[in-house]
Amino acid sequence: MSKYVMGLDLGTTSAKACIFNRVGHLVAEAEELVLSEYPKVGWVQQDAAAIERSAVLAVKNVVQKAGIAKDEIAVIGFSAAMHSLVPVSEEGMPLSPAFIWSDGRGTDQVDRLTEVERQQFYTRTGTPVHPMTPFMKLLWMKETGFEPYHQAAYFMSIKEYLIYCWFGKRVIDYSMASATGLFNPSVLEWDKDILELAGIRAAQLSEIVAPTTLLGTIKEEIAAEMGIASAVPVAIGAADGQLANLGIGALLPGEVAVSVGTSGAIRQVTNEAKVSSRGETFCYSFTEDSYIIGGPTNNGGIALQWLKQLLNDQGSYESFLAEAGQSAPGAEGLLFLPYINGERAPLWNQRARGNFYGMTVAHTKAHYVRAVLEGITFNLYQIGRALEQLAGPSRKIYVNGGLARSPIWLQMMADIFDAEIYVSENHHSAAWGAAWIGLVAIGEEKDLASIKQNIPMGQAVLPNQENSLVYKAVYERYEKLAASIAALFE
């Protein structure tokens, strides 16, 4: 039996390869940055071919770092960010840059839909109507006469494109398909009526398969570049959100996963498709009989990065976050609405804008850092309240992502949510979830739920009851402010 497994995670800012032992301990990781282009205000795109090269290099580097032989890798699993779209030729060449989730060029198409139409699309697909979705991106392409749209033989996510390059197959897993806005989760098929509106055919999209589907043999030249055996089993895996829940063990009713990296999300697994009456949450397929419900925010760590750059802070990210510790909870009345990149949940409004409220001459850098951290967390809490209306009360909250390495933020999470917070010692939950799906795919683990016995957990973070009372009052002010300002986002 091979000792190691690999998870390959295609994120917004990097392609990351992680090698784990069989019980979830990280052996080695390698990361290659992925660059975004901003040709116009609101447009965000990436070079799909460059991402494929970054993924190859990440795998090559992690194998070298781990110092293992080719035959010591039992399986590889895929994870990827959702909502990307690239038109592709019959020969597999990208015909334009890939539009990623944060691309907003479909905003006008969203605005032209009536509230009734938006709710109908949302109810049928579980995907809120928003410029992030490939559905809206396709409408923009169709209505603006985008030439690659008319030339394309296929339309793919970046993950599908990479699989096509490596395996010569056009396949997509349930979760990635579900996030397109073109998929009907009740029948696990592309929605013919929505495809017609988008002006495309089902044949231009990939075959929809289960996350445990094995992809076959990697092309010899690609495997040689990566330094792995071409015959190593590779499972298609799923989207990063679903796999983050799996990789941290948030699989049962009441178990909630919160991920905060550049962006953020709060999610729960359910065995029933459920949509919000107010359209506040998504409901994406995961397996044949399970779903992920929750809400994503555009504004996680990126808001802190923005503030750090704005203040010309030259210190480390850790020292910058530590500034928040010099301010009491509530930041002396300073509130921050973290909509600096528009917003998905709970507003689903790409025109939303961020706001500092309550500024005085007495506020210092520490107050601003704390206010931004609190604003990010209040937004997650607001999404979490909408999630509870569908899924019931949260019993256990698991946290992963870059901010999970900050003790100050973890305590803030515990205090605002007034709950115990659980963090894995392994900060690569999506990659570990992908690797575990691979083990299930090759029959070396019996099911997804068995991962719970193979997650190295750290010490729980307990809420400070005094701080929780303070935050309850501050959140009420935050919620009123958010509701009053939302009317101005036009």
Side-chain angles (χ1 to χ4, degrees):
M1 180 184 290
S2 301
K3 297 180 181 179
Y4 306 107
V5 292
M6 183 189 300
L8 178 58
D9 188 14
L10 305 173
T12 303
T13 57
S14 69
K16 184 182 299 180
C18 300
I19 291 178
F20 305 92
N21 66 15
R22 295 303 191 99
V23 292
H25 290 283
L26 184 69
V27 175
E29 64 176 296
E31 186 172 15
E32 292 295 320
L33 293 181
V34 170
L35 300 179
S36 295
E37 303 167 353
Y38 306 87
K40 293 184 181 181
V41 175
W43 293 24
V44 192
Q45 59 194 40
Q46 295 178 343
D47 185 331
I51 296 171
E52 187 271 336
R53 292 290 87 197
S54 293
V56 169
L57 190 56
V59 173
K60 175 183 177 181
N61 289 342
V62 79
V63 171
Q64 291 178 347
K65 283 185 179 181
I68 61 177
K70 292 181 180 181
D71 60 356
E72 290 187 282
I73 300 174
V75 70
I76 300 172
F78 270 116
S79 167
M82 292 176 273
H83 312 301
S84 59
L85 182 70
V86 57
V88 177
S89 72
E90 184 78 43
E91 297 74 29
M93 298 296 294
L95 298 175
S96 79
F99 298 5
I100 64 171
W101 66 267
S102 51
D103 183 88
R105 68 190 84 186
T107 300
D108 289 343
Q109 282 65 37
V110 171
D111 291 345
R112 284 199 284 270
L113 294 174
T114 66
E115 288 299 324
V116 171
E117 288 173 325
R118 294 185 199 189
Q119 188 63 30
Q120 287 175 342
F121 291 137
Y122 169 59
T123 301
R124 285 169 67 171
T125 66
T127 306
V129 176
H130 186 272
M132 69 178 181
T133 64
F135 176 32
M136 289 297 114
K137 292 172 168 64
L138 285 165
L139 280 184
W140 178 88
M141 291 179 180
K142 175 185 175 183
E143 293 177 9
T144 60
F146 189 59
E147 190 60 30
Y149 166 86
H150 296 290
Q151 296 172 342
Y154 312 119
F155 294 96
M156 300 180 180
S157 66
I158 291 172
K159 179 182 178 182
E160 291 166 82
Y161 169 74
L162 188 149
I163 290 171
Y164 195 40
C165 289
W166 291 3
F167 299 91
K169 293 183 176 181
R170 292 194 301 115
V171 288
I172 186 171
D173 63 85
Y174 298 141
S175 58
M176 294 292 290
S178 194
T180 63
L182 306 167
F183 175 83
N184 188 327
S186 65
V187 293
L188 299 176
E189 293 178 358
W190 300 118
D191 189 297
K192 294 180 181 178
D193 293 337
I194 294 178
L195 294 191
E196 185 175 346
L197 285 171
I200 65 171
R201 296 169 285 106
Q204 292 179 283
L205 301 177
S206 299
E207 178 189 357
I208 304 164
V209 298
T212 51
T213 299
L214 294 173
L215 296 171
T217 303
I218 302 174
K219 293 178 181 178
E220 289 284 353
E221 63 274 19
I222 300 293
E225 279 189 88
M226 293 189 292
I228 62 174
S230 62
V232 63
V234 181
I236 192 171
D240 54 2
Q242 283 82 338
L243 292 175
N245 270 63
L246 176 63
I248 206 166
L251 300 172
L252 298 177
E255 295 182 341
V256 175
V258 178
S259 301
V260 186
T262 304
S263 56
I266 179 166
R267 303 171 303 271
Q268 185 170 332
V269 176
T270 176
N271 58 8
E272 181 182 355
K274 298 179 180 180
V275 295
S276 164
S277 61
R278 298 197 299 175
E280 294 176 304
T281 55
F282 58 70
C283 179
Y284 296 151
S285 293
F286 183 15
T287 66
E288 294 91 336
D289 54 6
S290 69
Y291 307 83
I292 290 278
I293 55 175
T297 167
N298 288 1
N299 302 285
I302 196 169
L304 288 161
Q305 294 167 12
W306 162 77
L307 182 66
K308 189 175 188 296
Q309 183 176 4
L310 183 70
L311 298 177
N312 195 28
D313 182 274
Q314 300 298 311
S316 68
Y317 194 62
E318 290 74 19
S319 65
F320 182 70
L321 290 179
E323 293 267 357
Q326 299 177 31
S327 167
E332 299 292 340
L334 185 63
L335 291 173
F336 177 65
L337 296 182
Y339 312 141
I340 61 171
N341 285 310
E343 190 51 289
R344 290 181 286 175
L347 304 178
W348 298 104
N349 189 340
Q350 193 62 20
R351 301 187 190 278
R353 295 295 178 260
N355 193 284
F356 279 109
Y357 176 80
M359 292 183 289
T360 72
V361 294
H363 286 129
T364 66
K365 177 181 177 181
H367 294 111
Y368 282 92
V369 177
R370 187 167 198 104
V372 169
L373 269 176
E374 289 176 346
I376 292 168
T377 314
F378 285 142
N379 197 41
L380 288 166
Y381 180 68
Q382 187 174 14
I383 300 168
R385 285 161 62 100
L387 177 59
E388 286 190 341
Q389 292 176 11
L390 291 175
S394 305
R395 294 189 295 103
K396 204 168 185 178
I397 298 176
Y398 298 87
V399 174
N400 59 66
L403 267 183
R405 303 183 189 191
S406 166
I408 287 178
W409 181 70
L410 288 174
Q411 187 62 58
M412 187 180 292
M413 271 287 299
D415 296 343
I416 289 175
F417 280 74
D418 193 18
E420 295 184 3
I421 303 297
Y422 296 83
V423 185
S424 171
E425 293 177 1
N426 163 23
H427 291 285
H428 304 292
S429 298
W432 175 228
W436 188 265
I437 277 187
L439 286 171
V440 174
I442 62 175
E444 292 194 13
E445 294 294 342
K446 64 178 182 178
D447 54 34
L448 299 187
S450 299
I451 197 173
K452 279 181 165 288
Q453 286 74 51
N454 295 278
I455 300 172
M457 298 300 295
Q459 191 72 29
V461 180
L462 308 180
N464 178 308
Q465 291 303 316
E466 184 178 342
N467 290 348
S468 292
L469 288 173
V470 171
Y471 277 131
K472 183 178 180 180
V474 176
Y475 175 75
E476 289 177 0
R477 291 179 58 235
Y478 172 91
E479 191 174 41
K480 289 177 182 177
L481 178 64
S484 63
I485 288 182
L488 302 177
F489 301 144
E490 297 179 353

Short mmCIF file of all heavy atoms in Angstrom, two decimals, residues 440-477:
data_model
loop_
_atom_site.label_atom_id
_atom_site.label_comp_id
_atom_site.label_asym_id
_atom_site.label_seq_id
_atom_site.Cartn_x
_atom_site.Cartn_y
_atom_site.Cartn_z
N VAL A 440 -11.45 7.08 -1.34
CA VAL A 440 -12.75 6.41 -1.47
C VAL A 440 -12.90 5.88 -2.90
O VAL A 440 -13.39 4.76 -3.13
CB VAL A 440 -13.90 7.36 -1.11
CG1 VAL A 440 -15.26 6.71 -1.39
CG2 VAL A 440 -13.80 7.77 0.37
N ALA A 441 -12.46 6.67 -3.88
CA ALA A 441 -12.61 6.28 -5.29
C ALA A 441 -11.86 4.99 -5.61
O ALA A 441 -12.33 4.18 -6.41
CB ALA A 441 -12.12 7.41 -6.19
N ILE A 442 -10.69 4.80 -4.98
CA ILE A 442 -9.91 3.59 -5.28
C ILE A 442 -10.23 2.45 -4.31
O ILE A 442 -9.58 1.41 -4.35
CB ILE A 442 -8.40 3.88 -5.30
CG1 ILE A 442 -7.90 4.36 -3.93
CG2 ILE A 442 -8.05 4.88 -6.39
CD1 ILE A 442 -6.39 4.54 -3.85
N GLY A 443 -11.21 2.66 -3.44
CA GLY A 443 -11.67 1.60 -2.55
C GLY A 443 -10.84 1.38 -1.32
O GLY A 443 -11.02 0.38 -0.61
N GLU A 444 -9.94 2.32 -1.00
CA GLU A 444 -9.11 2.14 0.20
C GLU A 444 -9.73 2.77 1.44
O GLU A 444 -9.22 2.58 2.54
CB GLU A 444 -7.71 2.69 -0.06
CG GLU A 444 -6.94 1.86 -1.09
CD GLU A 444 -5.46 2.17 -1.11
OE1 GLU A 444 -4.96 2.84 -0.19
OE2 GLU A 444 -4.79 1.72 -2.07
N GLU A 445 -10.81 3.54 1.29
CA GLU A 445 -11.63 4.00 2.40
C GLU A 445 -13.08 3.74 2.02
O GLU A 445 -13.46 3.84 0.84
CB GLU A 445 -11.42 5.50 2.69
CG GLU A 445 -10.02 5.83 3.20
CD GLU A 445 -9.72 5.22 4.57
OE1 GLU A 445 -10.68 4.84 5.28
OE2 GLU A 445 -8.53 5.16 4.93
N LYS A 446 -13.90 3.40 3.01
CA LYS A 446 -15.25 2.93 2.68
C LYS A 446 -16.23 4.03 2.31
O LYS A 446 -17.13 3.82 1.49
CB LYS A 446 -15.81 2.10 3.84
CG LYS A 446 -16.02 2.87 5.13
CD LYS A 446 -16.64 1.98 6.21
CE LYS A 446 -16.89 2.77 7.50
NZ LYS A 446 -17.53 1.93 8.53
N ASP A 447 -16.07 5.24 2.90
CA ASP A 447 -17.02 6.31 2.61
C ASP A 447 -16.42 7.65 3.00
O ASP A 447 -15.35 7.73 3.62
CB ASP A 447 -18.36 6.09 3.31
CG ASP A 447 -18.21 5.89 4.82
OD1 ASP A 447 -17.29 6.50 5.42
OD2 ASP A 447 -19.00 5.14 5.40
N LEU A 448 -17.13 8.71 2.64
CA LEU A 448 -16.63 10.06 2.93
C LEU A 448 -16.63 10.34 4.43
O LEU A 448 -15.71 10.98 4.95
CB LEU A 448 -17.50 11.10 2.21
CG LEU A 448 -17.53 11.04 0.68
CD1 LEU A 448 -18.29 12.23 0.11
CD2 LEU A 448 -16.13 10.98 0.09
N ALA A 449 -17.65 9.86 5.15
CA ALA A 449 -17.79 10.16 6.57
C ALA A 449 -16.62 9.63 7.40
O ALA A 449 -16.33 10.16 8.48
CB ALA A 449 -19.10 9.62 7.11
N SER A 450 -15.94 8.61 6.91
CA SER A 450 -14.82 8.03 7.67
C SER A 450 -13.66 9.00 7.85
O SER A 450 -12.76 8.76 8.67
CB SER A 450 -14.32 6.76 6.96
OG SER A 450 -15.34 5.80 6.87
N ILE A 451 -13.66 10.09 7.12
CA ILE A 451 -12.59 11.07 7.27
C ILE A 451 -12.57 11.67 8.67
O ILE A 451 -11.53 12.15 9.13
CB ILE A 451 -12.73 12.20 6.22
CG1 ILE A 451 -11.41 12.99 6.08
CG2 ILE A 451 -13.88 13.13 6.56
CD1 ILE A 451 -11.41 14.01 4.96
N LYS A 452 -13.70 11.63 9.37
CA LYS A 452 -13.76 12.24 10.70
C LYS A 452 -12.73 11.66 11.67
O LYS A 452 -12.31 12.33 12.60
CB LYS A 452 -15.17 12.06 11.29
CG LYS A 452 -16.17 13.08 10.78
CD LYS A 452 -17.52 12.87 11.42
CE LYS A 452 -18.43 14.07 11.22
NZ LYS A 452 -18.04 15.23 12.01
N GLN A 453 -12.34 10.42 11.45
CA GLN A 453 -11.34 9.80 12.31
C GLN A 453 -9.92 10.09 11.83
O GLN A 453 -8.95 9.61 12.42
CB GLN A 453 -11.55 8.28 12.37
CG GLN A 453 -12.75 7.83 13.19
CD GLN A 453 -14.07 8.10 12.50
OE1 GLN A 453 -14.25 7.73 11.35
NE2 GLN A 453 -14.99 8.74 13.20
N ASN A 454 -9.81 10.90 10.79
CA ASN A 454 -8.49 11.15 10.19
C ASN A 454 -8.25 12.64 9.95
O ASN A 454 -7.72 13.05 8.92
CB ASN A 454 -8.38 10.38 8.87
CG ASN A 454 -8.42 8.88 9.08
OD1 ASN A 454 -7.43 8.25 9.39
ND2 ASN A 454 -9.61 8.30 8.92
N ILE A 455 -8.65 13.44 10.93
CA ILE A 455 -8.44 14.89 10.87
C ILE A 455 -7.73 15.32 12.15
O ILE A 455 -8.29 15.21 13.24
CB ILE A 455 -9.77 15.65 10.73
CG1 ILE A 455 -10.49 15.22 9.45
CG2 ILE A 455 -9.51 17.16 10.69
CD1 ILE A 455 -11.90 15.77 9.33
N PRO A 456 -6.50 15.79 12.04
CA PRO A 456 -5.77 16.22 13.23
C PRO A 456 -6.29 17.56 13.74
O PRO A 456 -6.02 18.61 13.16
CB PRO A 456 -4.32 16.34 12.74
CG PRO A 456 -4.43 16.57 11.26
CD PRO A 456 -5.68 15.88 10.81
N MET A 457 -7.09 17.54 14.81
CA MET A 457 -7.72 18.76 15.31
C MET A 457 -6.88 19.41 16.41
O MET A 457 -6.24 18.74 17.22
CB MET A 457 -9.11 18.45 15.87
CG MET A 457 -10.07 17.89 14.84
SD MET A 457 -10.38 18.99 13.43
CE MET A 457 -11.19 20.36 14.25
N GLY A 458 -6.91 20.75 16.42
CA GLY A 458 -6.25 21.49 17.48
C GLY A 458 -7.20 21.73 18.65
O GLY A 458 -8.31 21.19 18.70
N GLN A 459 -6.77 22.56 19.59
CA GLN A 459 -7.57 22.88 20.77
C GLN A 459 -8.74 23.80 20.38
O GLN A 459 -8.58 24.73 19.60
CB GLN A 459 -6.69 23.58 21.81
CG GLN A 459 -7.33 23.74 23.17
CD GLN A 459 -7.45 22.42 23.93
OE1 GLN A 459 -6.64 21.52 23.74
NE2 GLN A 459 -8.46 22.31 24.77
N ALA A 460 -9.93 23.54 20.91
CA ALA A 460 -11.08 24.38 20.62
C ALA A 460 -10.89 25.77 21.22
O ALA A 460 -10.27 25.94 22.29
CB ALA A 460 -12.35 23.75 21.18
N VAL A 461 -11.42 26.80 20.55
CA VAL A 461 -11.39 28.17 21.04
C VAL A 461 -12.74 28.47 21.65
O VAL A 461 -13.78 28.36 20.97
CB VAL A 461 -11.08 29.16 19.90
CG1 VAL A 461 -11.05 30.60 20.42
CG2 VAL A 461 -9.77 28.81 19.22
N LEU A 462 -12.77 28.85 22.92
CA LEU A 462 -14.03 29.05 23.65
C LEU A 462 -14.42 30.52 23.65
O LEU A 462 -13.55 31.41 23.70
CB LEU A 462 -13.89 28.55 25.09
CG LEU A 462 -13.37 27.12 25.25
CD1 LEU A 462 -13.30 26.76 26.74
CD2 LEU A 462 -14.27 26.13 24.52
N PRO A 463 -15.72 30.82 23.62
CA PRO A 463 -16.15 32.22 23.62
C PRO A 463 -15.93 32.87 24.99
O PRO A 463 -16.05 32.21 26.02
CB PRO A 463 -17.64 32.14 23.29
CG PRO A 463 -18.06 30.77 23.71
CD PRO A 463 -16.86 29.89 23.49
N ASN A 464 -15.60 34.14 24.96
CA ASN A 464 -15.55 34.98 26.16
C ASN A 464 -16.93 35.59 26.32
O ASN A 464 -17.36 36.40 25.50
CB ASN A 464 -14.48 36.06 25.98
CG ASN A 464 -14.38 37.01 27.16
OD1 ASN A 464 -15.37 37.58 27.59
ND2 ASN A 464 -13.16 37.18 27.67
N GLN A 465 -17.64 35.20 27.38
CA GLN A 465 -19.04 35.60 27.52
C GLN A 465 -19.21 37.10 27.64
O GLN A 465 -20.19 37.68 27.13
CB GLN A 465 -19.68 34.89 28.72
CG GLN A 465 -19.85 33.39 28.52
CD GLN A 465 -20.66 33.05 27.28
OE1 GLN A 465 -21.70 33.67 27.01
NE2 GLN A 465 -20.20 32.08 26.50
N GLU A 466 -18.28 37.77 28.26
CA GLU A 466 -18.35 39.23 28.37
C GLU A 466 -18.25 39.87 26.99
O GLU A 466 -19.03 40.78 26.64
CB GLU A 466 -17.22 39.74 29.27
CG GLU A 466 -17.27 41.24 29.52
CD GLU A 466 -16.19 41.71 30.46
OE1 GLU A 466 -15.61 40.86 31.18
OE2 GLU A 466 -15.89 42.92 30.47
N ASN A 467 -17.31 39.38 26.17
CA ASN A 467 -17.17 39.91 24.82
C ASN A 467 -18.39 39.58 23.96
O ASN A 467 -18.82 40.38 23.13
CB ASN A 467 -15.92 39.35 24.15
CG ASN A 467 -14.64 39.90 24.75
OD1 ASN A 467 -14.67 40.86 25.52
ND2 ASN A 467 -13.51 39.28 24.41
N SER A 468 -18.94 38.38 24.16
CA SER A 468 -20.11 37.98 23.37
C SER A 468 -21.29 38.91 23.62
O SER A 468 -22.04 39.25 22.69
CB SER A 468 -20.51 36.54 23.70
OG SER A 468 -19.54 35.63 23.23
N LEU A 469 -21.48 39.35 24.85
CA LEU A 469 -22.55 40.29 25.16
C LEU A 469 -22.32 41.63 24.46
O LEU A 469 -23.25 42.25 23.95
CB LEU A 469 -22.66 40.48 26.67
CG LEU A 469 -23.25 39.30 27.45
CD1 LEU A 469 -23.16 39.55 28.95
CD2 LEU A 469 -24.71 39.07 27.04
N VAL A 470 -21.06 42.09 24.47
CA VAL A 470 -20.73 43.33 23.78
C VAL A 470 -21.03 43.20 22.29
O VAL A 470 -21.66 44.07 21.68
CB VAL A 470 -19.24 43.70 23.99
CG1 VAL A 470 -18.83 44.87 23.08
CG2 VAL A 470 -18.98 44.03 25.44
N TYR A 471 -20.61 42.07 21.71
CA TYR A 471 -20.79 41.89 20.28
C TYR A 471 -22.25 41.75 19.88
O TYR A 471 -22.64 42.11 18.76
CB TYR A 471 -19.98 40.69 19.79
CG TYR A 471 -18.54 41.02 19.52
CD1 TYR A 471 -17.51 40.23 20.03
CD2 TYR A 471 -18.20 42.12 18.73
CE1 TYR A 471 -16.18 40.53 19.76
CE2 TYR A 471 -16.88 42.42 18.47
CZ TYR A 471 -15.88 41.63 18.98
OH TYR A 471 -14.58 41.95 18.71
N LYS A 472 -23.07 41.22 20.76
CA LYS A 472 -24.49 41.11 20.45
C LYS A 472 -25.08 42.49 20.19
O LYS A 472 -25.84 42.69 19.22
CB LYS A 472 -25.23 40.42 21.60
CG LYS A 472 -26.71 40.20 21.32
CD LYS A 472 -27.39 39.45 22.47
CE LYS A 472 -28.87 39.24 22.16
NZ LYS A 472 -29.57 38.52 23.27
N ALA A 473 -24.72 43.45 21.02
CA ALA A 473 -25.22 44.82 20.85
C ALA A 473 -24.60 45.48 19.62
O ALA A 473 -25.29 46.18 18.86
CB ALA A 473 -24.92 45.64 22.10
N VAL A 474 -23.31 45.25 19.41
CA VAL A 474 -22.64 45.85 18.25
C VAL A 474 -23.23 45.29 16.95
O VAL A 474 -23.44 46.03 15.98
CB VAL A 474 -21.12 45.60 18.29
CG1 VAL A 474 -20.44 46.15 17.04
CG2 VAL A 474 -20.50 46.26 19.53
N TYR A 475 -23.51 43.99 16.92
CA TYR A 475 -24.07 43.39 15.72
C TYR A 475 -25.43 43.98 15.38
O TYR A 475 -25.76 44.17 14.20
CB TYR A 475 -24.19 41.87 15.85
CG TYR A 475 -24.87 41.26 14.65
CD1 TYR A 475 -24.20 41.15 13.43
CD2 TYR A 475 -26.22 40.89 14.69
CE1 TYR A 475 -24.84 40.65 12.30
CE2 TYR A 475 -26.87 40.39 13.57
CZ TYR A 475 -26.17 40.27 12.38
OH TYR A 475 -26.81 39.80 11.26
N GLU A 476 -26.24 44.27 16.38
CA GLU A 476 -27.54 44.88 16.11
C GLU A 476 -27.37 46.20 15.37
O GLU A 476 -28.13 46.52 14.45
CB GLU A 476 -28.31 45.07 17.42
CG GLU A 476 -28.80 43.75 18.03
CD GLU A 476 -29.51 43.95 19.35
OE1 GLU A 476 -29.62 45.12 19.79
OE2 GLU A 476 -29.96 42.95 19.94
N ARG A 477 -26.36 46.99 15.77
CA ARG A 477 -26.08 48.25 15.07
C ARG A 477 -25.59 47.96 13.65
O ARG A 477 -25.98 48.65 12.70
CB ARG A 477 -25.02 49.05 15.83
CG ARG A 477 -25.48 49.60 17.17
CD ARG A 477 -24.36 50.36 17.87
NE ARG A 477 -23.87 51.45 17.04
CZ ARG A 477 -22.59 51.60 16.70
NH1 ARG A 477 -21.68 50.72 17.10
NH2 ARG A 477 -22.22 52.62 15.96
#
